[in-house]
Amino acid sequence: MSGGERTYPKRHTKRRLWRWRSNALRRRDDVIEAWIVLAVVTVMTLGGVVVGAVTAHTADNVFARQRAEKRSIRAVLVDYIPLTVSRAVTSDQIRAKVRWTAADGSTRTGMTRVDAGHKAGSDVVVWTDGQGDLTSRPAISGEATARAALIGTTAALSFGGLAFGVGAIARWRLDRRRIEQWGREWDLVGPRWGHRTG
C-alpha cells in the first residue's frame, strides 16, 4: 500500500470538515452552515429514532387494546353468498348481512365481511366491540407487531424528511445571502479590475 493511499481518508475527512477549521477563506456563514448540517444530522438520527420508537410503541398499545376489547361471537348469515364472486373482489370475503344476539339479549342485524360460499342460515364468526356493535377482526399479535413497526418506521422517515427539508431551506437562504454578499463585493472590486486591464 503506497503512502498516497493511506492518506486519502484523512484528506477526505479534512475536505469535509473544512468549515470547522480556521482559514482565510472561511466566513461566518460557512460556520453557520456547518452548525446547521450538524444539527440536521443529529435531529434526523436521534429524533427519528425517538419518534419512530414512540410511535411504534403507541401503535402496539392501540392494537393490544383493540384485541382486549373485541371479541368473536357466533352469528347467523341472513343472505346467501355464492361461492364464486365477482372478479372485481380481491379477497375471499365479501360484505353480507348477519344476525346475532348481543350480550344484553337483544337481537341485532348488521353488515360485515364473511367468507364466500355460505348459505343463508349458516353460522359464521363475527367480531364485536365493547358496545356489542360489529367491527373488524383485530390484528393478531404478529400482525400487530409488524404493523406497529411499519407505522414507527414511516413516522421516523417522515420526521427525518421534515428535518432534512428545514435544513435544506436554511442552507438555501444562506446560499442566497452569500450570493448577494458576493455581488455587493464584486460591485466594489470589479470596477478596479476594469481600470487595470484598460
Side-chain angles (χ1 to χ4, degrees):
M1 184 182 290
S2 68
E5 289 174 331
R6 279 197 295 269
T7 58
Y8 173 73
K10 190 181 276 187
R11 281 189 206 160
H12 191 65
T13 303
K14 284 183 178 179
R15 204 177 312 131
R16 279 187 165 174
L17 300 176
W18 73 269
R19 289 180 180 88
W20 295 101
R21 296 194 326 258
S22 281
N23 64 61
L25 297 177
R26 188 185 71 177
R27 298 182 180 212
R28 182 173 171 267
D29 287 349
D30 297 327
V31 176
I32 293 172
E33 182 179 20
W35 280 108
I36 288 172
V37 169
L38 180 63
V40 167
V41 170
T42 302
V43 168
M44 284 176 63
T45 305
L46 298 179
V49 168
V50 170
V51 167
V54 169
T55 303
H57 181 69
T58 302
D60 200 37
N61 286 343
V62 169
F63 292 138
R65 190 168 56 249
Q66 287 177 351
R67 284 195 304 274
E69 290 175 354
K70 295 180 179 182
R71 64 188 190 96
S72 62
I73 61 169
R74 305 296 292 179
V76 176
L77 186 63
V78 175
D79 301 324
Y80 166 71
I81 305 174
L83 184 59
T84 56
V85 293
S86 168
R87 290 185 181 182
V89 178
T90 56
S91 72
D92 294 333
Q93 290 192 326
I94 58 173
R95 288 180 59 79
K97 190 174 184 180
V98 294
R99 182 177 61 248
W100 74 99
T101 303
D104 61 4
S106 62
T107 301
R108 299 189 188 182
T109 57
M111 300 291 290
T112 190
R113 298 187 73 80
V114 297
D115 294 330
H118 290 289
K119 297 179 180 178
S122 300
D123 281 347
V124 292
V125 176
V126 297
W127 291 88
T128 58
D129 58 19
Q131 288 74 41
D133 297 323
L134 289 176
T135 186
S136 60
R137 178 182 69 83
I140 60 175
S141 183
E143 288 176 349
T145 301
R147 287 185 192 175
L150 179 62
I151 293 169
T153 302
T154 303
L157 292 175
S158 300
F159 182 83
L162 179 64
F164 180 82
V166 170
I169 290 170
R171 291 180 70 189
W172 174 77
R173 292 188 66 172
L174 272 177
D175 285 342
R176 292 287 303 266
R177 193 164 78 177
R178 276 191 287 237
I179 290 169
E180 289 171 4
Q181 187 177 358
W182 289 335
R184 287 193 299 270
E185 290 174 1
W186 179 253
D187 289 341
L188 294 173
V189 175
R192 296 178 197 166
W193 285 13
H195 292 304
R196 289 182 183 177
T197 56

Short mmCIF file of all heavy atoms in Angstrom, two decimals, residues 62-114:
data_model
loop_
_atom_site.label_atom_id
_atom_site.label_comp_id
_atom_site.label_asym_id
_atom_site.label_seq_id
_atom_site.Cartn_x
_atom_site.Cartn_y
_atom_site.Cartn_z
N VAL A 62 -52.25 0.46 21.05
CA VAL A 62 -53.60 0.58 20.45
C VAL A 62 -54.07 -0.77 19.95
O VAL A 62 -55.21 -1.18 20.20
CB VAL A 62 -53.59 1.62 19.31
CG1 VAL A 62 -54.89 1.56 18.52
CG2 VAL A 62 -53.38 3.02 19.87
N PHE A 63 -53.19 -1.51 19.26
CA PHE A 63 -53.58 -2.83 18.75
C PHE A 63 -53.87 -3.80 19.90
O PHE A 63 -54.80 -4.60 19.82
CB PHE A 63 -52.49 -3.40 17.85
CG PHE A 63 -52.31 -2.66 16.56
CD1 PHE A 63 -51.05 -2.38 16.05
CD2 PHE A 63 -53.42 -2.23 15.83
CE1 PHE A 63 -50.89 -1.70 14.86
CE2 PHE A 63 -53.28 -1.55 14.64
CZ PHE A 63 -52.00 -1.28 14.15
N ALA A 64 -53.09 -3.71 20.98
CA ALA A 64 -53.33 -4.59 22.13
C ALA A 64 -54.67 -4.27 22.79
O ALA A 64 -55.41 -5.17 23.20
CB ALA A 64 -52.19 -4.42 23.15
N ARG A 65 -54.99 -2.98 22.88
CA ARG A 65 -56.28 -2.57 23.46
C ARG A 65 -57.44 -3.07 22.59
O ARG A 65 -58.47 -3.52 23.09
CB ARG A 65 -56.32 -1.06 23.64
CG ARG A 65 -57.52 -0.58 24.44
CD ARG A 65 -57.41 0.88 24.86
NE ARG A 65 -57.22 1.78 23.74
CZ ARG A 65 -56.10 2.47 23.49
NH1 ARG A 65 -55.05 2.32 24.28
NH2 ARG A 65 -56.01 3.27 22.46
N GLN A 66 -57.27 -2.97 21.26
CA GLN A 66 -58.31 -3.47 20.36
C GLN A 66 -58.51 -4.97 20.54
O GLN A 66 -59.66 -5.45 20.54
CB GLN A 66 -57.94 -3.16 18.91
CG GLN A 66 -58.07 -1.71 18.53
CD GLN A 66 -57.62 -1.45 17.10
OE1 GLN A 66 -57.04 -2.32 16.44
NE2 GLN A 66 -57.87 -0.24 16.62
N ARG A 67 -57.40 -5.73 20.69
CA ARG A 67 -57.54 -7.17 20.90
C ARG A 67 -58.27 -7.47 22.20
O ARG A 67 -59.03 -8.43 22.29
CB ARG A 67 -56.15 -7.84 20.90
CG ARG A 67 -55.53 -8.00 19.55
CD ARG A 67 -54.36 -8.95 19.55
NE ARG A 67 -53.31 -8.61 20.50
CZ ARG A 67 -52.32 -7.78 20.24
NH1 ARG A 67 -52.25 -7.17 19.06
NH2 ARG A 67 -51.40 -7.53 21.15
N ALA A 68 -58.03 -6.65 23.22
CA ALA A 68 -58.68 -6.88 24.51
C ALA A 68 -60.16 -6.52 24.46
O ALA A 68 -60.99 -7.17 25.12
CB ALA A 68 -57.98 -6.06 25.60
N GLU A 69 -60.51 -5.48 23.69
CA GLU A 69 -61.90 -5.01 23.65
C GLU A 69 -62.78 -5.82 22.71
O GLU A 69 -63.97 -6.02 22.96
CB GLU A 69 -61.94 -3.53 23.22
CG GLU A 69 -61.38 -2.57 24.27
CD GLU A 69 -61.31 -1.15 23.75
OE1 GLU A 69 -61.60 -0.92 22.55
OE2 GLU A 69 -60.97 -0.25 24.55
N LYS A 70 -62.23 -6.29 21.61
CA LYS A 70 -63.03 -7.01 20.62
C LYS A 70 -63.15 -8.47 21.01
O LYS A 70 -62.25 -9.06 21.59
CB LYS A 70 -62.39 -6.88 19.23
CG LYS A 70 -62.38 -5.47 18.70
CD LYS A 70 -61.74 -5.41 17.32
CE LYS A 70 -61.74 -3.99 16.77
NZ LYS A 70 -61.18 -3.92 15.41
N ARG A 71 -64.31 -9.05 20.67
CA ARG A 71 -64.49 -10.48 20.94
C ARG A 71 -65.26 -11.11 19.79
O ARG A 71 -66.08 -10.45 19.12
CB ARG A 71 -65.19 -10.72 22.26
CG ARG A 71 -66.60 -10.22 22.35
CD ARG A 71 -67.12 -10.33 23.77
NE ARG A 71 -68.56 -10.06 23.82
CZ ARG A 71 -69.50 -10.97 23.80
NH1 ARG A 71 -69.17 -12.25 23.72
NH2 ARG A 71 -70.78 -10.65 23.85
N SER A 72 -64.99 -12.38 19.58
CA SER A 72 -65.66 -13.10 18.49
C SER A 72 -66.92 -13.76 19.03
O SER A 72 -66.94 -14.27 20.16
CB SER A 72 -64.73 -14.15 17.89
OG SER A 72 -64.37 -15.11 18.88
N ILE A 73 -67.98 -13.73 18.22
CA ILE A 73 -69.24 -14.38 18.59
C ILE A 73 -69.78 -15.10 17.35
O ILE A 73 -69.34 -14.87 16.24
CB ILE A 73 -70.29 -13.36 19.11
CG1 ILE A 73 -70.60 -12.31 18.02
CG2 ILE A 73 -69.83 -12.68 20.38
CD1 ILE A 73 -71.79 -11.44 18.35
N ARG A 74 -70.76 -15.98 17.61
CA ARG A 74 -71.42 -16.68 16.51
C ARG A 74 -72.59 -15.83 16.04
O ARG A 74 -73.32 -15.25 16.83
CB ARG A 74 -71.94 -18.04 16.97
CG ARG A 74 -70.91 -18.96 17.60
CD ARG A 74 -69.81 -19.38 16.67
NE ARG A 74 -70.26 -20.26 15.60
CZ ARG A 74 -69.46 -20.74 14.67
NH1 ARG A 74 -68.18 -20.44 14.67
NH2 ARG A 74 -69.92 -21.54 13.75
N ALA A 75 -72.74 -15.76 14.72
CA ALA A 75 -73.88 -15.05 14.12
C ALA A 75 -74.48 -15.92 13.03
O ALA A 75 -73.87 -16.91 12.59
CB ALA A 75 -73.41 -13.71 13.54
N VAL A 76 -75.69 -15.58 12.62
CA VAL A 76 -76.39 -16.32 11.56
C VAL A 76 -76.38 -15.47 10.31
O VAL A 76 -76.73 -14.28 10.35
CB VAL A 76 -77.84 -16.64 11.99
CG1 VAL A 76 -78.58 -17.33 10.85
CG2 VAL A 76 -77.85 -17.50 13.23
N LEU A 77 -75.98 -16.07 9.20
CA LEU A 77 -75.95 -15.37 7.92
C LEU A 77 -77.37 -15.21 7.39
O LEU A 77 -78.11 -16.18 7.28
CB LEU A 77 -75.08 -16.16 6.93
CG LEU A 77 -74.80 -15.52 5.60
CD1 LEU A 77 -74.01 -14.24 5.76
CD2 LEU A 77 -74.03 -16.49 4.71
N VAL A 78 -77.75 -13.98 7.11
CA VAL A 78 -79.11 -13.70 6.61
C VAL A 78 -79.16 -13.90 5.10
O VAL A 78 -80.13 -14.41 4.56
CB VAL A 78 -79.54 -12.27 6.99
CG1 VAL A 78 -80.88 -11.92 6.37
CG2 VAL A 78 -79.58 -12.11 8.51
N ASP A 79 -78.12 -13.49 4.39
CA ASP A 79 -78.09 -13.56 2.94
C ASP A 79 -77.32 -14.80 2.46
O ASP A 79 -76.43 -15.29 3.15
CB ASP A 79 -77.39 -12.31 2.34
CG ASP A 79 -78.11 -11.04 2.74
OD1 ASP A 79 -79.34 -11.06 2.81
OD2 ASP A 79 -77.42 -10.03 2.96
N TYR A 80 -77.66 -15.25 1.27
CA TYR A 80 -76.90 -16.32 0.63
C TYR A 80 -75.69 -15.69 -0.07
O TYR A 80 -75.82 -14.68 -0.76
CB TYR A 80 -77.77 -17.07 -0.39
CG TYR A 80 -76.99 -17.95 -1.33
CD1 TYR A 80 -76.39 -19.12 -0.86
CD2 TYR A 80 -76.83 -17.61 -2.67
CE1 TYR A 80 -75.65 -19.93 -1.71
CE2 TYR A 80 -76.11 -18.42 -3.53
CZ TYR A 80 -75.52 -19.58 -3.04
OH TYR A 80 -74.79 -20.38 -3.89
N ILE A 81 -74.53 -16.28 0.11
CA ILE A 81 -73.32 -15.77 -0.55
C ILE A 81 -72.83 -16.84 -1.51
O ILE A 81 -72.45 -17.93 -1.09
CB ILE A 81 -72.21 -15.47 0.48
CG1 ILE A 81 -72.73 -14.52 1.55
CG2 ILE A 81 -71.00 -14.89 -0.20
CD1 ILE A 81 -71.74 -14.29 2.65
N PRO A 82 -72.82 -16.56 -2.81
CA PRO A 82 -72.36 -17.57 -3.77
C PRO A 82 -70.88 -17.87 -3.58
O PRO A 82 -70.12 -17.05 -3.06
CB PRO A 82 -72.62 -16.90 -5.13
CG PRO A 82 -72.67 -15.44 -4.85
CD PRO A 82 -73.21 -15.30 -3.45
N LEU A 83 -70.49 -19.06 -4.00
CA LEU A 83 -69.10 -19.48 -3.86
C LEU A 83 -68.19 -18.66 -4.78
O LEU A 83 -67.08 -18.32 -4.42
CB LEU A 83 -68.97 -20.97 -4.18
CG LEU A 83 -67.59 -21.59 -3.98
CD1 LEU A 83 -67.14 -21.43 -2.53
CD2 LEU A 83 -67.61 -23.05 -4.37
N THR A 84 -68.68 -18.37 -5.98
CA THR A 84 -67.91 -17.55 -6.90
C THR A 84 -68.43 -16.13 -6.83
O THR A 84 -69.63 -15.89 -6.95
CB THR A 84 -68.05 -18.07 -8.35
OG1 THR A 84 -69.43 -18.11 -8.70
CG2 THR A 84 -67.44 -19.45 -8.48
N VAL A 85 -67.52 -15.21 -6.63
CA VAL A 85 -67.90 -13.80 -6.55
C VAL A 85 -67.27 -13.07 -7.72
O VAL A 85 -66.49 -13.63 -8.48
CB VAL A 85 -67.44 -13.19 -5.21
CG1 VAL A 85 -68.21 -13.80 -4.05
CG2 VAL A 85 -65.95 -13.37 -5.00
N SER A 86 -67.61 -11.82 -7.84
CA SER A 86 -67.12 -11.01 -8.96
C SER A 86 -65.60 -10.97 -8.99
O SER A 86 -64.94 -11.00 -7.96
CB SER A 86 -67.67 -9.59 -8.84
OG SER A 86 -67.01 -8.73 -9.73
N ARG A 87 -65.04 -10.90 -10.20
CA ARG A 87 -63.58 -10.79 -10.33
C ARG A 87 -63.06 -9.48 -9.74
O ARG A 87 -61.88 -9.35 -9.46
CB ARG A 87 -63.18 -10.88 -11.80
CG ARG A 87 -63.37 -12.26 -12.37
CD ARG A 87 -62.85 -12.35 -13.77
NE ARG A 87 -63.07 -13.68 -14.31
CZ ARG A 87 -62.68 -14.06 -15.50
NH1 ARG A 87 -62.06 -13.20 -16.29
NH2 ARG A 87 -62.91 -15.28 -15.93
N ALA A 88 -63.93 -8.50 -9.60
CA ALA A 88 -63.52 -7.21 -9.03
C ALA A 88 -63.19 -7.35 -7.55
O ALA A 88 -62.46 -6.53 -6.99
CB ALA A 88 -64.63 -6.17 -9.21
N VAL A 89 -63.71 -8.40 -6.91
CA VAL A 89 -63.43 -8.62 -5.49
C VAL A 89 -62.05 -9.25 -5.37
O VAL A 89 -61.77 -10.28 -5.98
CB VAL A 89 -64.51 -9.53 -4.85
CG1 VAL A 89 -64.17 -9.79 -3.39
CG2 VAL A 89 -65.88 -8.90 -4.98
N THR A 90 -61.18 -8.62 -4.57
CA THR A 90 -59.79 -9.07 -4.49
C THR A 90 -59.54 -10.04 -3.35
O THR A 90 -58.48 -10.62 -3.26
CB THR A 90 -58.85 -7.86 -4.31
OG1 THR A 90 -59.28 -7.12 -3.15
CG2 THR A 90 -58.90 -6.95 -5.53
N SER A 91 -60.51 -10.25 -2.45
CA SER A 91 -60.30 -11.20 -1.35
C SER A 91 -61.42 -12.23 -1.37
O SER A 91 -62.37 -12.12 -2.13
CB SER A 91 -60.28 -10.47 -0.01
OG SER A 91 -61.57 -10.03 0.33
N ASP A 92 -61.31 -13.27 -0.50
CA ASP A 92 -62.33 -14.31 -0.43
C ASP A 92 -63.47 -13.94 0.50
O ASP A 92 -64.32 -14.76 0.78
CB ASP A 92 -61.69 -15.62 0.05
CG ASP A 92 -60.70 -16.17 -0.96
OD1 ASP A 92 -60.88 -15.88 -2.16
OD2 ASP A 92 -59.76 -16.87 -0.55
N GLN A 93 -63.47 -12.72 1.00
CA GLN A 93 -64.55 -12.27 1.87
C GLN A 93 -65.32 -11.15 1.20
O GLN A 93 -64.75 -10.32 0.50
CB GLN A 93 -63.98 -11.76 3.21
CG GLN A 93 -63.43 -12.86 4.09
CD GLN A 93 -63.15 -12.35 5.50
OE1 GLN A 93 -62.76 -11.21 5.69
NE2 GLN A 93 -63.35 -13.21 6.48
N ILE A 94 -66.64 -11.17 1.44
CA ILE A 94 -67.48 -10.08 0.93
C ILE A 94 -68.43 -9.65 2.04
O ILE A 94 -68.65 -10.37 3.02
CB ILE A 94 -68.28 -10.52 -0.32
CG1 ILE A 94 -69.17 -11.73 -0.01
CG2 ILE A 94 -67.37 -10.81 -1.49
CD1 ILE A 94 -70.10 -12.08 -1.15
N ARG A 95 -69.01 -8.46 1.86
CA ARG A 95 -69.92 -7.92 2.88
C ARG A 95 -71.28 -8.62 2.75
O ARG A 95 -71.80 -8.81 1.66
CB ARG A 95 -70.09 -6.41 2.72
CG ARG A 95 -68.84 -5.66 3.15
CD ARG A 95 -69.00 -4.15 3.00
NE ARG A 95 -70.08 -3.62 3.78
CZ ARG A 95 -70.04 -3.37 5.09
NH1 ARG A 95 -68.94 -3.64 5.77
NH2 ARG A 95 -71.08 -2.86 5.73
N ALA A 96 -71.83 -9.00 3.89
CA ALA A 96 -73.12 -9.67 3.91
C ALA A 96 -73.85 -9.31 5.21
O ALA A 96 -73.23 -8.86 6.19
CB ALA A 96 -72.95 -11.17 3.81
N LYS A 97 -75.15 -9.52 5.20
CA LYS A 97 -75.98 -9.22 6.37
C LYS A 97 -76.02 -10.41 7.32
O LYS A 97 -76.20 -11.55 6.88
CB LYS A 97 -77.40 -8.87 5.92
CG LYS A 97 -78.28 -8.31 7.01
CD LYS A 97 -79.61 -7.85 6.42
CE LYS A 97 -80.48 -7.18 7.47
NZ LYS A 97 -81.77 -6.73 6.89
N VAL A 98 -75.79 -10.15 8.60
CA VAL A 98 -75.80 -11.20 9.62
C VAL A 98 -76.71 -10.77 10.78
O VAL A 98 -77.02 -9.60 10.95
CB VAL A 98 -74.37 -11.50 10.16
CG1 VAL A 98 -73.50 -12.08 9.06
CG2 VAL A 98 -73.74 -10.27 10.77
N ARG A 99 -77.12 -11.79 11.57
CA ARG A 99 -77.95 -11.54 12.76
C ARG A 99 -77.27 -12.21 13.94
O ARG A 99 -76.77 -13.33 13.85
CB ARG A 99 -79.36 -12.12 12.53
CG ARG A 99 -80.31 -11.89 13.68
CD ARG A 99 -81.72 -12.42 13.39
NE ARG A 99 -81.72 -13.86 13.16
CZ ARG A 99 -81.97 -14.44 12.00
NH1 ARG A 99 -82.26 -13.72 10.93
NH2 ARG A 99 -81.94 -15.76 11.87
N TRP A 100 -77.21 -11.50 15.07
CA TRP A 100 -76.57 -12.06 16.26
C TRP A 100 -77.28 -11.57 17.51
O TRP A 100 -78.07 -10.61 17.46
CB TRP A 100 -75.09 -11.68 16.31
CG TRP A 100 -74.79 -10.26 16.68
CD1 TRP A 100 -74.44 -9.78 17.88
CD2 TRP A 100 -74.85 -9.12 15.82
NE1 TRP A 100 -74.26 -8.42 17.85
CE2 TRP A 100 -74.51 -8.00 16.57
CE3 TRP A 100 -75.17 -8.92 14.46
CZ2 TRP A 100 -74.46 -6.71 16.05
CZ3 TRP A 100 -75.12 -7.65 13.94
CH2 TRP A 100 -74.77 -6.57 14.72
N THR A 101 -77.03 -12.25 18.60
CA THR A 101 -77.61 -11.88 19.88
C THR A 101 -76.55 -11.15 20.70
O THR A 101 -75.46 -11.68 20.94
CB THR A 101 -78.10 -13.12 20.65
OG1 THR A 101 -79.03 -13.82 19.83
CG2 THR A 101 -78.76 -12.72 21.96
N ALA A 102 -76.86 -9.93 21.11
CA ALA A 102 -75.92 -9.11 21.88
C ALA A 102 -75.85 -9.61 23.32
O ALA A 102 -76.65 -10.45 23.76
CB ALA A 102 -76.33 -7.65 21.84
N ALA A 103 -74.90 -9.08 24.08
CA ALA A 103 -74.71 -9.50 25.47
C ALA A 103 -75.93 -9.20 26.33
O ALA A 103 -76.22 -9.91 27.29
CB ALA A 103 -73.47 -8.81 26.05
N ASP A 104 -76.70 -8.15 25.95
CA ASP A 104 -77.90 -7.81 26.74
C ASP A 104 -79.12 -8.65 26.35
O ASP A 104 -80.21 -8.45 26.87
CB ASP A 104 -78.22 -6.32 26.59
CG ASP A 104 -78.51 -5.91 25.14
OD1 ASP A 104 -78.55 -6.79 24.26
OD2 ASP A 104 -78.69 -4.70 24.90
N GLY A 105 -78.94 -9.58 25.41
CA GLY A 105 -80.04 -10.47 24.99
C GLY A 105 -80.81 -9.98 23.79
O GLY A 105 -81.67 -10.71 23.28
N SER A 106 -80.54 -8.77 23.32
CA SER A 106 -81.26 -8.24 22.17
C SER A 106 -80.72 -8.83 20.87
O SER A 106 -79.54 -9.18 20.78
CB SER A 106 -81.15 -6.71 22.13
OG SER A 106 -79.80 -6.32 21.97
N THR A 107 -81.61 -8.95 19.88
CA THR A 107 -81.21 -9.46 18.57
C THR A 107 -80.85 -8.28 17.68
O THR A 107 -81.60 -7.31 17.59
CB THR A 107 -82.35 -10.27 17.94
OG1 THR A 107 -82.68 -11.36 18.80
CG2 THR A 107 -81.95 -10.81 16.58
N ARG A 108 -79.73 -8.40 17.05
CA ARG A 108 -79.25 -7.31 16.18
C ARG A 108 -78.92 -7.85 14.80
O ARG A 108 -78.63 -9.03 14.63
CB ARG A 108 -78.01 -6.64 16.78
CG ARG A 108 -78.23 -6.02 18.14
CD ARG A 108 -77.02 -5.21 18.52
NE ARG A 108 -77.08 -4.74 19.89
CZ ARG A 108 -76.17 -3.97 20.45
NH1 ARG A 108 -75.10 -3.61 19.77
NH2 ARG A 108 -76.30 -3.56 21.71
N THR A 109 -78.95 -6.94 13.82
CA THR A 109 -78.52 -7.28 12.46
C THR A 109 -77.56 -6.20 11.98
O THR A 109 -77.60 -5.06 12.43
CB THR A 109 -79.71 -7.36 11.49
OG1 THR A 109 -80.42 -6.12 11.50
CG2 THR A 109 -80.65 -8.49 11.85
N GLY A 110 -76.70 -6.59 11.07
CA GLY A 110 -75.74 -5.63 10.52
C GLY A 110 -74.96 -6.25 9.39
O GLY A 110 -75.09 -7.45 9.09
N MET A 111 -74.15 -5.42 8.76
CA MET A 111 -73.32 -5.86 7.63
C MET A 111 -71.89 -6.05 8.10
O MET A 111 -71.35 -5.23 8.85
CB MET A 111 -73.35 -4.82 6.51
CG MET A 111 -74.74 -4.55 5.95
SD MET A 111 -75.41 -5.94 5.02
CE MET A 111 -74.37 -5.91 3.57
N THR A 112 -71.29 -7.16 7.66
CA THR A 112 -69.88 -7.42 7.96
C THR A 112 -69.28 -8.28 6.87
O THR A 112 -70.01 -8.79 6.00
CB THR A 112 -69.74 -8.11 9.34
OG1 THR A 112 -68.36 -8.14 9.71
CG2 THR A 112 -70.28 -9.53 9.30
N ARG A 113 -67.96 -8.47 6.92
CA ARG A 113 -67.30 -9.29 5.92
C ARG A 113 -67.29 -10.74 6.38
O ARG A 113 -66.91 -11.04 7.51
CB ARG A 113 -65.88 -8.79 5.69
CG ARG A 113 -65.81 -7.37 5.16
CD ARG A 113 -64.41 -6.98 4.78
NE ARG A 113 -63.96 -7.63 3.56
CZ ARG A 113 -64.27 -7.23 2.33
NH1 ARG A 113 -65.03 -6.15 2.15
NH2 ARG A 113 -63.83 -7.87 1.28
N VAL A 114 -67.71 -11.64 5.47
CA VAL A 114 -67.72 -13.07 5.76
C VAL A 114 -67.16 -13.82 4.56
O VAL A 114 -67.07 -13.28 3.46
CB VAL A 114 -69.15 -13.58 6.09
CG1 VAL A 114 -69.69 -12.93 7.34
CG2 VAL A 114 -70.09 -13.33 4.92
#
